[in-house]
Amino acid sequence: MDGVKIMNKYDKMNEVNRERNAAKINAAKTAIRRMLEDGERISIPRLMQMTGLSRGFFYKNPTVRAEISQALEMQAGTIDPRRSILDQAMDGRIELLERKVIELKTENENLRKENQKLKKSLEKKDRSIFMKL
């Protein structure tokens, strides 16, 4: 009979731990979603402050860690306005360089054609000089 009581206490303890863990995960997810909605930068210290959970919980719990990673990916480029400005500047620079590459390729092709014409002309001239000898 004592074994059954011990097992029931053990099962009850496991159930309580699972419920506590689920509540912590829900609190963390809620805080992450709230930060996303408010446009606030996701950070572990801020999540700790909002939830009262430990730093280790956010790093060690795979469910919460995945949620944080997903939120950070969603925020990429939206939180730091400088990043958007830099991206636009880089896009403009890339477009300019691509146009320059096309221009240089065209110029290079024209120079190759001109070089071929000059080589042929020089060969004709050399033959005519040779024939005169």
Side-chain angles (χ1 to χ4, degrees), residues 106-116:
T106 303
E107 182 183 354
N108 190 16
E109 185 60 33
N110 290 336
L111 289 171
R112 285 179 194 270
K113 288 177 183 176
E114 184 181 349
N115 191 19
Q116 287 293 348

Side-chain angles (χ1 to χ4, degrees), residues 36 39 71-81 83-84:
L36 279 173
L72 289 172
E73 284 180 28
M74 289 171 58
Q75 283 188 335
T78 59
I79 294 297
D80 189 359
R83 183 174 184 161
S84 176

Side-chain angles (χ1 to χ4, degrees), residues 12-51:
K12 182 69 175 171
M13 185 175 68
N14 277 338
E15 182 61 30
V16 168
N17 283 338
R18 274 194 291 274
E19 288 173 4
R20 284 184 187 158
N21 195 39
K24 288 178 184 180
I25 290 171
N26 285 335
K29 285 182 173 183
T30 301
I32 292 166
R33 289 183 188 124
R34 188 175 317 130
M35 289 176 79
L36 279 173
E37 289 171 5
D38 294 345
E40 187 176 346
R41 185 175 177 276
I42 304 292
S43 71
I44 301 298
R46 180 69 176 122
L47 287 168
M48 290 169 53
Q49 183 182 31
M50 291 175 72
T51 62

Side-chain angles (χ1 to χ4, degrees), residues 86-98:
L86 288 173
D87 286 348
Q88 289 175 358
M90 291 305 293
D91 288 344
R93 180 82 174 134
I94 288 169
E95 187 179 321
L96 177 70
L97 291 172
E98 286 173 344

